[in-house]
Amino acid sequence: MEIIKNISARGRMAERLDGTGLAELNAGYLNSSANGIHSYEECPPPDLSPVSPTFLYANRIIAFDSDSSMAHAYDILRNQLLTEHKDEDTRVISVTAPTTGCGTTVTAINLALSFARVPGSNVLLVDANFRDPAVGNILGLPPRPPLEDPIRGWLTTLDIRGLHCHLLRAAWGPGRIPLPADLARMTTQIEFVRQMLKPTIVLFDLPPMLSSDEVIPFVDMSDTAVIVLAIGKSKLSELDICRSYLGSEKSMQVVLNKTKRHGL
């Protein structure tokens, strides 16, 4: 994975998720007495989920290991992202690609773990890829929520050799095209967990931008978009289209994945 450049996106501002009814959804879905949750202050801390380093290495997840030479590329990207929007209490970063097969999920996980190694950081990684929710599989987590609780069943804290990173699996199960109700529920969960955990870094793992209408609202929630390209697959014309979908105030990092130099 190589960083290409840091550019400011141009083009139209995408429409935001319609917030109508989200307050009611929050009250009825997340805070109902039937679910045993009344406010984010009352939620217990997420359960720890130990993750095998050996399993992670086998899936090209290496950024938890500061001694790994391959983790250096993710650390460079992390440091460049940290220099942007320094006045923000919470950085929100979307990771997406023009098309499938570019390594978006691997990039998102490695970037989250690189951020987690920064002293004082509190990182929340969100699997928001309804079409192909793969974060849990790559990390070796159970395929289904252990609890019906809409927060505790979907939220966990990864524990890798004492390194902690929160994971909200807002997308579960077989991939499918999300309904408007799914997007509303995901948005509400994200906001609820942000209030609960108060992360300093939030990363969205998103589906491909050019084949997924639901990507734009999540990118619009972010201050920065990371666009992942792949050697032998991605085209510059696709990158130009992705740039046109972002607002003029949105900063964008472009990375090149699957290069022989780094073995990814």
Side-chain angles (χ1 to χ4, degrees), residues 6 74-86 88-97 104 107-116 118 121-128 190 194 199-207 209 215-228 246 250-255:
N6 180 10
Y74 293 104
D75 293 345
I76 293 175
L77 175 59
R78 174 203 69 197
N79 292 341
Q80 290 194 357
L81 291 168
L82 285 174
T83 62
E84 302 174 351
H85 304 277
K86 290 183 178 181
E88 300 288 341
D89 294 332
T90 301
R91 295 295 312 285
V92 183
I93 301 166
S94 288
V95 184
T96 184
T104 303
T107 300
I109 297 173
N110 275 308
L111 186 56
L113 296 179
S114 179
F115 273 115
V118 176
S121 64
N122 183 17
V123 181
L124 172 64
L125 172 63
V126 180
D127 189 343
I190 291 168
R194 286 186 62 177
T200 58
I201 301 290
V202 179
L203 288 105
F204 296 140
D205 176 34
L206 297 173
M209 182 173 284
V215 171
I216 298 301
F218 288 98
V219 171
D220 197 37
M221 296 179 202
S222 311
D223 53 66
T224 302
V226 174
I227 307 297
V228 182
L246 304 176
K250 191 80 62 185
S251 60
M252 184 169 72
Q253 288 276 359
V254 180
V255 302

Side-chain angles (χ1 to χ4, degrees), residues 4-23:
I4 298 178
K5 54 186 174 180
N6 180 10
I7 55 182
S8 176
R10 64 177 183 269
R12 66 179 180 81
M13 177 65 73
E15 295 182 356
R16 297 180 180 273
L17 272 177
D18 184 3
T20 305
L22 286 187

Side-chain angles (χ1 to χ4, degrees), residues 150-257:
I151 293 299
R152 294 190 63 203
W154 304 57
L155 177 66
T156 189
T157 299
L158 307 174
D159 182 0
I160 311 168
R161 294 178 178 171
L163 180 70
H164 291 170
C165 176
H166 304 299
L167 170 63
L168 175 62
R169 298 172 73 179
W172 278 91
R176 62 182 175 85
I177 298 175
L179 300 173
D182 294 317
L183 297 177
R185 186 263 304 160
M186 292 169 69
T187 305
T188 303
Q189 281 181 305
I190 291 168
E191 180 58 28
F192 190 95
V193 171
R194 286 186 62 177
Q195 294 179 25
M196 172 185 168
L197 298 178
K198 294 179 171 55
T200 58
I201 301 290
V202 179
L203 288 105
F204 296 140
D205 176 34
L206 297 173
M209 182 173 284
L210 301 188
S211 61
S212 313
D213 292 340
E214 66 271 16
V215 171
I216 298 301
F218 288 98
V219 171
D220 197 37
M221 296 179 202
S222 311
D223 53 66
T224 302
V226 174
I227 307 297
V228 182
L229 308 180
I231 285 288
K233 183 175 181 64
S234 302
K235 302 176 182 178
L236 288 178
S237 59
E238 295 171 341
L239 176 60
D240 287 338
I241 297 174
C242 290
R243 293 176 62 188
S244 72
Y245 288 166
L246 304 176
S248 59
E249 300 301 318
K250 191 80 62 185
S251 60
M252 184 169 72
Q253 288 276 359
V254 180
V255 302
L256 187 61
N257 204 2

